[in-house]
Amino acid sequence: MSRPGRGFDPSRWDESDVRARPSKRGSRPRTKDRPAHEDAVTGRVVTVDRGRYTVHLPGREGFRTVTAMRAKELRRQPVVTGDLVGVVGDLSGGEGTLARIVRIEDRSTVLRRSADDSDAYERVVVANVDTLVIMVAAANPEPRTGFIDRALVAAYDAGIEPVLCITKTDLRDPAGLLAHYRHLDLEVLTSGAAAPATAGPAAGDAALDPALLAALRTRLEGHVSVLVGPSGVGKSTLLNALTGTRRATGHVNAVTGRGRHTSSSALAIPLPAAGEDPDTGDPSSWLVDTPGIRSFGLGLVDRDRVVEAFEDLAPALADCPRGCTHAEGEPGCALDGWVAAGNAGVSGPERLASLRRLLDGRSDGRADARADARGEVPPEARGDVPSGDPADGTGDAGAGADGRESPAGR
């Protein structure tokens, strides 16, 4: 009978020389200290396309850009048009070269939106701008005061100066729309066409009035501005006229009355002959064109700041009781008395109704919040019928019935 363990070779079970397979995710860094990249050059992101970032580098002859990608440590930090970033690597800008973004500078402002009022996902439109040009057309497509009000709230929340620009004034007198915002301290610029245009599919595609372009150029000089508005109002046309670029332009569909998306991403272009910042060498004036936005959700804006953005109604908040929701029929709400006393002007009732639509969409998360985000204009604001006329046609000419959304900020 053999004894247990006799003939056992322990070397057969020795695993000291076994080599483990490397992890598919890569090995851990030997240290958590990352390079400081003190030699990184600071530039401005002018456009974003499928994970590749076009960055303008100051101090170079002409408009020189490089194509860059994000460094691994920045993979969870979004980079958007207008961001100031630190770039290293091949900065020659030659074909096929690729630089690397290693740092994102602190943003001075962030213009953001959500898909609708119940959505908490942030969609950044642009960063580091100081002027928001809200563009609407007097006609073709129809103006929507709901969209304008939402853009004004977003500008107020971001600390950006808003400017309302009304295009295609040769197709319709914008007097009704101007009266709607007359009680606000809001700068309004009107821009028509140099030659008469007919109300057809290509209406408004004519060259813009040189005198109005000069006024716009003077207003935007020395600022970083962004153009925001629905498709078909002439954002790209205005950008081309002011900067000399050849951004693709489209027209308004004669059946639906809505514009067609011709710009798929935000693009920043320096205004010519505007000079440079003496400290950084960066152009002092920029203009950012954005894709058409059909909905401007305010799900990320605090409820109180939404009310404060309506400057013609905000003074009444001091007389509202604590915890007032400002909804229609709310006991003790001072907004109704403020408007009834004429303190908000002739458009006060419509402005109060617009404010309450915004607040209602945020509070109960109704299924029609997305459609309400597209806004609608009262007929007296369009100049079609006198104030108080119950005539039909006060809606948005079908805009947003399909629930689709612009690719901006995705």
Side-chain angles (χ1 to χ4, degrees):
M1 182 174 180
S2 62
R3 300 176 62 181
R6 181 174 294 182
F8 174 73
D9 184 6
S11 63
R12 294 176 55 189
W13 303 95
D14 183 11
E15 297 181 352
S16 60
D17 60 343
V18 175
R19 298 184 61 184
R21 291 184 177 181
S23 172
K24 294 182 179 180
R25 297 182 179 179
S27 59
R28 292 184 178 181
R30 295 179 180 272
T31 176
K32 294 183 179 179
D33 297 332
R34 309 303 298 168
H37 297 295
E38 296 179 354
D39 59 339
V41 179
T42 302
R44 184 183 298 271
V45 177
V46 296
T47 192
V48 181
D49 183 18
R50 292 168 293 183
R52 292 294 181 263
Y53 306 87
T54 304
V55 182
H56 171 265
L57 299 181
R60 292 171 174 261
E61 182 180 355
F63 188 73
R64 295 288 299 276
T65 60
V66 298
T67 302
M69 61 177 292
R70 279 184 298 180
K72 185 177 181 180
E73 56 266 27
L74 299 180
R75 63 183 179 273
R76 294 185 180 275
Q77 301 183 36
V79 180
V80 300
T81 301
D83 268 330
L84 299 177
V85 297
V87 186
V88 299
D90 191 342
L91 305 182
S92 64
E95 184 178 358
T97 61
L98 188 64
R100 189 159 52 104
I101 297 176
V102 296
R103 184 173 60 250
I104 304 175
E105 304 293 344
D106 293 337
R107 295 167 173 170
S108 59
T109 59
V110 178
L111 180 65
R112 57 183 185 169
R113 70 180 185 94
S114 58
D116 54 48
D117 292 339
S118 61
D119 183 20
Y121 182 77
E122 181 182 64
R123 291 164 169 81
V124 178
V125 180
V126 67
N128 298 315
V129 300
D130 54 45
T131 304
L132 171 63
V133 182
I134 306 169
M135 293 193 61
V136 296
N140 195 34
E142 296 295 325
R144 310 196 309 268
T145 57
F147 178 87
I148 299 174
D149 291 342
R150 289 174 174 274
L152 291 174
V153 172
Y156 175 84
D157 182 65
I160 301 173
E161 183 72 20
V163 175
L164 178 60
C165 181
I166 305 175
T167 63
K168 304 183 183 181
T169 55
D170 56 315
L171 300 181
R172 178 181 295 159
D173 185 359
L177 186 60
L178 293 174
H180 190 74
Y181 294 99
R182 184 172 299 158
H183 211 62
L184 302 183
D185 184 18
L186 175 64
E187 183 176 2
V188 180
L189 302 174
T190 58
S191 176
T198 59
D205 288 346
L208 298 174
D209 185 359
L212 294 174
L213 288 176
L216 284 167
R217 186 176 290 108
T218 301
R219 174 60 182 84
L220 302 179
E221 186 173 353
H223 298 275
V224 181
S225 310
V226 57
L227 306 176
V228 172
S231 298
V233 298
K235 298 186 302 296
S236 297
T237 300
L238 184 61
L239 180 83
N240 293 342
L242 290 173
T243 64
T245 57
R246 295 183 178 180
R247 184 88 153 159
T249 60
H251 57 78
V252 176
N253 189 300
V255 177
T256 65
R258 285 181 285 178
R260 179 181 180 182
H261 288 308
T262 54
S263 303
S264 59
S265 60
L267 175 65
I269 298 292
L271 290 178
E276 297 181 349
D277 190 314
D279 297 328
T280 64
D282 198 41
S284 60
S285 303
W286 288 84
L287 190 59
V288 183
D289 182 25
T290 61
I293 298 177
R294 289 179 181 157
S295 63
F296 212 122
L298 302 174
L300 299 166
V301 182
D302 184 76
R303 184 185 185 92
D304 292 336
R305 291 187 65 83
V306 172
V307 182
E308 293 171 2
F310 283 71
E311 61 182 57
D312 50 342
L313 304 175
L317 299 182
D319 298 326
C320 286
R322 185 175 182 180
C324 181
T325 62
H326 312 297
E328 187 174 1
E330 178 74 11
C333 182
L335 289 176
D336 295 283
W338 178 267
V339 172
N343 295 319
V346 294
S347 60
E350 289 81 13
R351 294 275 295 163
L352 179 58
S354 178
L355 170 61
R356 284 174 169 164
R357 283 197 300 269
L358 298 185
L359 298 178
D360 290 345
R362 296 169 56 86
S363 61
D364 56 17
R366 295 173 303 174
D368 62 345
R370 182 186 296 271
D372 198 31
R374 295 173 176 84
E376 62 180 29
V377 58
E380 58 270 19
R382 293 204 312 261
D384 293 342
V385 295
S387 177
D389 194 313
D392 194 12
T394 62
D396 182 19
D402 54 0
R404 289 182 298 173
E405 144 190 14
S406 157
R410 287 183 180 173

